[in-house]
Amino acid sequence: YLTGFPEPEAVAVLSPHGSAPFTLFVRPRDPEREVWTGERIGVERAGELFGADEVFPIDELEDHLSELLKPASRIYYPIGSGDALEDHIIQTVIAARRTRARSGQGPSGIEDLDALLSPLRLIKDADELSRMRVAADIGVAGHLAAMRRARPGVGEWELRAALEAEFIGAGGRVSFPSIVASGHNATVLHYEENRCRMGSDDLVLIDAGAEWGGYSSDISRTFPVSGRFTRAQRDLYDVVLAAEEAAIVEVRPGALFTTVHEAAVRILAQGMLDLGLLPAGDLDGVIERGEYRQFYLHQTSHWLGLDVHDAGPYQQNGAPITLVPGMVLTIEPGLYIPADEEDVPERFRGIGIRIEDDVAVTEDGGELLTRGVPVDPEKVEEIIRGGE
């Protein structure tokens, strides 16, 4: 097994064969560079700290790699990394093929290490879930700080500063570039400019998360700068909230991952029909033809854990993954009506809404990790107006 930490910091070679089953290659100490970038562990300390049987400078990797791989029948490596190490491994397999008949040694192929390991990240143990709850609580505090800072004329960047200061002050980190999108900016799914000032009639969509203890949270909330939803904003908000609640109900052991998305889509599509965003028609037909995708372009969920979009398959052997306790996923339906969309009622144009929570699958259903930030529209309005 070979894996990087990440390249070119260190490379580990793990083998069931040989006198050194754990061989580590790291960057050596360099006092001149460390003045600029901080202390390195170095070759001398790495074995003790990481429990390696042998440690070498990373510059010697290619000198040792062929010999280390010689006893192996298969090599497990994250295929597709695109680095020079991958090329070297492929050449090692090719060279072994030429000599294997006489030597009886050498790897016969490469297995994708990511494909083997990423499913292991799907199910969190008690310690991992504990860390995710802390990350969620820090994320909640940041969102509440940003909501309380919202006023007409305030810059999107000021809300970003408020929420990220809360993350960092609590000992966390920003888990991905924060989205603070006011007005029609909220119809851009990955808006990251955060440069506009908020108007009095604007909604603000914040999509941001904190990382703590190596684990991430991911929360989205949409709220009115004025402290009052307009009728059109509230109509769309209620549809998105109903879709999120319907999807959350489907989070339970034995449910298919796709069932969560299907529940949200059904509510959203019906809302589009009811509000005149789509021409009158049969709900099942609208879903089957994908017409709802005009205003809802993304999936409802993704895995959450060490990464915001965490590793792990969504299908296995052509079938959707079945939810089991310990899995953690987001629920994030939305509606995004472009400002220049002429085929919808004018009052809805330029409105973007997303509501997102993190949910852990439990024995009994789903544990909502992030509802410390209210989603009830009246409570949201109260926070913006200065209430608790």
Side-chain angles (χ1 to χ4, degrees):
Y1 297 81
L2 292 96
T3 183
F5 291 79
E7 268 293 307
E9 297 292 332
V11 172
V13 181
L14 307 174
S15 171
H17 309 286
S19 60
F22 178 13
T23 306
L24 189 61
F25 296 84
V26 301
R27 293 191 301 170
R29 293 291 306 274
D30 184 340
E32 184 176 343
R33 292 300 305 165
E34 289 175 38
V35 170
W36 295 89
T37 59
E39 183 182 0
R40 295 178 180 176
I41 293 171
V43 175
E44 294 76 15
R45 296 173 56 206
E48 179 183 349
L49 286 175
F50 298 114
D53 298 289
E54 288 188 347
V55 185
F56 299 99
I58 199 166
D59 291 343
E60 297 180 15
L61 176 63
E62 291 192 11
D63 298 335
H64 294 273
L65 192 57
S66 295
E67 192 66 26
L68 287 169
L69 298 182
K70 188 179 293 183
S73 59
R74 307 287 287 180
I75 297 173
Y76 295 84
Y77 182 76
I79 297 171
S81 59
D83 56 26
L85 179 57
E86 183 169 328
D87 294 338
H88 188 84
I89 291 169
I90 293 171
Q91 292 304 315
T92 299
V93 174
I94 293 172
R97 185 173 61 184
R98 300 192 189 104
T99 62
R100 194 180 306 114
R102 290 186 178 277
S103 68
Q105 284 189 316
S108 60
I110 305 172
E111 298 283 351
D112 186 3
L113 187 59
D114 278 346
L116 291 171
L117 296 184
S118 62
L120 301 180
R121 287 167 58 172
L122 281 179
I123 301 174
K124 278 68 176 176
D125 62 22
D127 178 66
E128 291 176 295
L129 289 171
S130 177
R131 291 167 184 255
M132 295 193 73
R133 292 186 186 101
V134 175
D137 289 344
I138 294 173
V140 164
H143 275 261
L144 290 173
M147 292 171 73
R148 293 179 178 125
R149 182 72 181 87
R151 294 291 184 275
V154 170
E156 294 168 341
W157 64 91
E158 296 179 75
L159 267 61
R160 176 180 181 177
L163 73 93
E164 292 185 358
E166 194 73 31
F167 294 168
I168 295 167
R173 301 170 60 182
V174 178
S175 55
F176 60 93
S178 301
I179 296 170
V180 182
S182 61
H184 65 82
N185 294 331
T187 65
V188 180
L189 298 185
H190 285 172
Y191 173 82
E192 296 177 9
E193 295 287 333
N194 301 339
R195 294 179 180 174
C196 292
R197 292 192 181 276
M198 294 174 284
S200 58
D201 295 327
D202 284 349
L203 289 179
V204 179
L205 189 163
I206 296 182
D207 187 339
E211 178 186 311
W212 187 89
Y215 288 79
S216 298
S217 59
D218 189 2
I219 307 170
S220 295
R221 291 294 186 267
T222 309
F223 52 88
V225 174
S226 67
R228 297 283 186 188
F229 288 99
T230 67
R231 185 68 261 169
Q233 291 168 351
R234 178 65 184 270
D235 286 344
L236 293 177
Y237 186 94
D238 286 347
V239 171
V240 175
L241 180 56
E244 193 203 23
E245 297 288 4
I248 290 169
V249 168
E250 299 299 331
V251 178
R252 60 182 183 274
L256 297 179
F257 180 85
T258 50
T259 302
V260 177
H261 177 64
E262 290 164 359
V265 164
R266 195 160 191 87
I267 299 296
L268 292 172
Q270 185 62 63
M272 294 179 205
L273 290 169
D274 293 343
L275 296 175
L277 296 174
L278 295 175
D282 172 63
L283 175 61
D284 291 331
V286 166
I287 294 173
E288 184 177 348
R289 293 187 295 272
E291 294 170 6
Y292 66 89
R293 294 193 185 100
Q294 183 175 356
F295 305 115
Y296 181 49
L297 298 80
H298 57 80
Q299 292 292 310
T300 302
S301 300
H302 59 76
W303 302 127
L304 188 68
L306 288 169
D307 288 324
V308 174
H309 285 257
D310 205 23
Y314 295 97
Q315 293 198 32
Q316 212 161 32
N317 300 320
I321 287 288
T322 299
L323 300 182
V324 300
M327 291 179 171
V328 182
L329 64 157
T330 64
I331 307 290
E332 51 178 311
L335 286 174
Y336 314 93
I337 319 301
D340 59 357
E341 182 60 59
E342 297 182 355
D343 294 331
V344 302
E346 185 176 358
R347 66 195 186 105
F348 295 128
R349 297 174 192 170
I351 297 177
I353 295 173
R354 182 162 62 252
I355 306 172
E356 177 182 18
D357 283 292
D358 305 339
V359 186
V361 184
T362 67
E363 297 287 349
D364 303 320
E367 176 190 354
L368 273 166
L369 305 179
T370 48
R371 274 295 173 84
V373 192
V375 294
D376 177 85
E378 283 81 14
K379 291 182 179 179
V380 169
E381 290 177 328
E382 183 179 353
I383 291 174
I384 305 304
R385 296 197 304 270
E388 292 298 324

